Amino acid sequence: MEVKILKNILGANDQIAERNRMLLEQNNIFTVNIMSSPGAGKTSLILQTIKRLKDKTRIGVIEGDVSSSIDAEVVGREGVPVIQINTGGSCHLDANMVSNALNNLPLTNIDLLFIENVGNLICPASFALGEHRRVIISSIPEGDDKPFKYPVMFHDADIVLLNKIDLLPYVKFDSDAFSRALRSINEKLEIIPASCTSGEGIGEWLSWLLAQMGGS
Amino acid sequence: MEVKILKNILGANDQIAERNRMLLEQNNIFTVNIMSSPGAGKTSLILQTIKRLKDKTRIGVIEGDVSSSIDAEVVGREGVPVIQINTGGSCHLDANMVSNALNNLPLTNIDLLFIENVGNLICPASFALGEHRRVIISSIPEGDDKPFKYPVMFHDADIVLLNKIDLLPYVKFDSDAFSRALRSINEKLEIIPASCTSGEGIGEWLSWLLAQMGGS
């Protein structure tokens, strides 16, 4: 008699994330998971990107929040397909929530999908969603010590966008200390200083994004 | 035969929180749980309070972070007893962590204890620690929509300190919209606008705090 042994190599979330990724790749959709503290500028970065790229690339958005549909309403006004996920109380998106959202998006009409995670520098890092890249936004008013306090999130990022640099003259923030802290956690991590208000650095962000899409 | 039915009225965390509270009250320690997003100003508020009250009140501090001891080192320089809790990966403090910290503090030498929670606007709200009051710090650069997006945290607060008002001239923030959002969640909630940088509003914060201690 032969005994069948089933190895559960991936946990449930990772299995669903892999299925999401396959579905996204079948549809040639490059997907970016954007994570940050509350109010660091996730929605602002998505809006800036839509405004500058929407004539070149078909963009879709999944908005994650514990509660409310404020962000989806703002993004929807730009004329792109958007789905709001309310987690109810959960502090992060998971692959199953994203799977449900993908079932409700016009996938054949999207080339670039942003998933805006729940505002939280801890929990979202542990949940793969099927994304191709992970972007962390850190903002000047939060202070230069965040990489030390939330190392897992920064360790697993593909890039850090340092937002709100227009506020540098008004707050205490040591840019060199921030860079050193980041490098001590992930020495290859690229930092793009930017401001979604003034537009500074957004060109560099778009260059990075388009290069990733080309070479994904 | 008589059947004994044991009702587990409180969950494990709440039971330990009750024990913490009894221990704190036996030692006449008024305890404040301070919660906010990363970088909203929890440590700055504690430092401002220590500087202005330390000749009148004996203060102790428990610092909660996923990682690092940066905050405990800064607070320790003020000459007050401080314990750093590293949660390892957990997104909030719980009552058992605080119980361990209390065992390592000189309780008979403390009148006012601050517990600085992990920077997170979601998870800490669900975990009682044994505190007498819950303070939420929301900061101007985070935006005026935070109460809608993180309603549980704001609903259960005793007061909201709206920090970094010195940045109001430089960012988009509608103070009336913020107040309306808060009132829609908890109509009795008091807001203290303040800046730990300029010192504005700190007098009102201390007045509130001392009144609560007197009447706890």
Side-chain angles (χ1 to χ4, degrees):
Chain A
M1 197 185 94
E2 194 184 331
V3 177
K4 281 192 182 170
I5 299 176
L6 296 178
K7 284 193 182 170
N8 187 14
I9 297 169
L10 296 177
N13 185 78
D14 284 346
Q15 281 190 17
I16 301 170
E18 271 308 303
R19 286 209 301 270
N20 289 346
R21 189 196 292 255
M22 281 169 59
L23 178 64
L24 291 161
E25 289 180 357
Q26 281 159 11
N27 287 278
N28 295 313
I29 301 175
F30 187 78
T31 302
V32 179
N33 181 3
I34 303 188
M35 297 178 274
S36 80
S37 300
K42 295 181 292 302
T43 312
S44 299
L45 183 67
I46 290 170
L47 288 172
Q48 283 279 355
T49 308
I50 292 171
K51 281 176 185 161
R52 299 189 191 208
L53 284 191
K54 72 177 169 185
D55 294 335
K56 294 180 204 161
T57 308
R58 299 172 304 166
I59 297 174
V61 180
I62 296 174
E63 287 289 342
D65 278 297
V66 172
S67 181
S68 93
S69 58
I70 299 171
D71 289 345
E73 288 161 25
V74 174
V75 168
R77 273 180 228 132
E78 299 299 320
V80 302
V82 56
I83 298 282
Q84 176 83 50
I85 300 174
N86 278 165
T87 66
S90 179
C91 50
H92 58 84
L93 292 180
D94 65 32
N96 197 48
M97 297 176 193
V98 170
S99 171
N100 290 333
L102 293 178
N103 289 336
N104 288 284
L105 278 171
L107 299 184
T108 50
N109 297 333
I110 296 174
D111 306 309
L112 171 61
L113 177 66
F114 290 114
I115 305 176
E116 180 178 336
N117 221 309
V118 176
N120 183 332
L121 271 189
I122 307 163
C123 317
S126 308
F127 290 81
L129 306 177
E131 72 271 29
H132 297 101
R133 295 293 183 278
R134 293 182 159 206
V135 175
I136 310 297
I137 304 179
S138 198
S139 69
I140 298 294
E142 292 173 69
D144 50 47
D145 59 359
K146 292 299 152 294
F148 286 129
K149 291 188 176 174
Y150 305 91
V152 176
M153 186 67 101
F154 288 95
H155 182 270
D156 293 346
D158 291 301
I159 198 161
V160 172
L161 190 119
L162 179 58
N163 194 24
K164 308 194 190 181
I165 57 168
D166 55 297
L167 295 178
L168 269 173
Y170 314 114
V171 299
K172 208 176 134 193
F173 186 96
D174 182 335
S175 297
D176 291 337
F178 181 78
S179 298
R180 279 196 307 272
L182 265 191
R183 304 276 183 242
S184 75
I185 287 159
N186 178 346
E187 62 181 20
K188 290 177 188 161
L189 204 49
E190 198 180 334
I191 306 170
I192 300 180
S195 165
C196 292
T197 304
S198 73
E200 202 178 337
I202 300 300
E204 286 80 352
W205 154 249
L206 297 178
S207 298
W208 178 85
L209 185 62
L210 293 171
Q212 302 296 311
M213 288 178 72
S216 66
Chain B
M1 196 185 95
E2 193 183 331
V3 176
K4 279 191 183 171
I5 298 175
L6 296 178
K7 284 195 182 169
N8 186 16
I9 297 169
L10 296 177
N13 186 77
D14 284 345
Q15 281 190 18
I16 301 170
E18 271 310 302
R19 285 210 301 271
N20 288 347
R21 188 195 292 256
M22 283 170 59
L23 179 63
L24 291 162
E25 290 180 355
Q26 282 160 10
N27 287 279
N28 295 311
I29 300 174
F30 186 78
T31 303
V32 179
N33 181 2
I34 303 189
M35 295 176 276
S36 79
S37 299
K42 296 181 293 301
T43 312
S44 298
L45 183 67
I46 290 170
L47 287 172
Q48 283 279 354
T49 308
I50 292 171
K51 281 176 183 161
R52 300 190 190 207
L53 284 191
K54 72 177 169 186
D55 295 336
K56 295 181 202 159
T57 309
R58 299 173 304 167
I59 297 175
V61 180
I62 297 174
E63 287 289 342
D65 278 296
V66 172
S67 181
S68 93
S69 58
I70 299 171
D71 290 346
E73 288 162 25
V74 173
V75 168
R77 275 180 226 131
E78 299 299 320
V80 303
V82 57
I83 298 282
Q84 175 83 50
I85 299 174
N86 278 165
T87 66
S90 179
C91 51
H92 58 85
L93 292 179
D94 65 32
N96 197 48
M97 297 175 193
V98 170
S99 171
N100 289 334
L102 293 178
N103 288 337
N104 288 284
L105 279 170
L107 299 183
T108 51
N109 296 332
I110 296 173
D111 306 309
L112 171 60
L113 177 67
F114 289 114
I115 304 176
E116 180 178 336
N117 220 309
V118 176
N120 183 330
L121 271 188
I122 305 163
C123 318
S126 307
F127 290 81
L129 307 177
E131 73 271 29
H132 297 101
R133 297 292 184 278
R134 292 182 160 207
V135 176
I136 310 297
I137 304 180
S138 199
S139 69
I140 297 295
E142 292 172 69
D144 50 46
D145 59 358
K146 291 300 153 294
F148 286 128
K149 291 187 176 176
Y150 305 90
V152 175
M153 186 68 100
F154 287 95
H155 183 268
D156 294 346
D158 291 300
I159 198 161
V160 172
L161 189 119
L162 180 58
N163 194 24
K164 308 194 189 181
I165 56 168
D166 54 297
L167 295 179
L168 269 173
Y170 314 113
V171 299
K172 208 176 134 193
F173 186 96
D174 182 337
S175 297
D176 291 338
F178 181 79
S179 298
R180 280 196 307 273
L182 265 191
R183 304 273 182 245
S184 75
I185 288 159
N186 178 345
E187 63 180 20
K188 291 175 187 163
L189 203 50
E190 198 180 334
I191 306 170
I192 301 180
S195 166
C196 292
T197 304
S198 74
E200 202 178 336
I202 301 299
E204 287 79 353
W205 154 249
L206 297 177
S207 298
W208 178 84
L209 185 64
L210 294 170
Q212 302 294 312
M213 288 178 71
S216 66

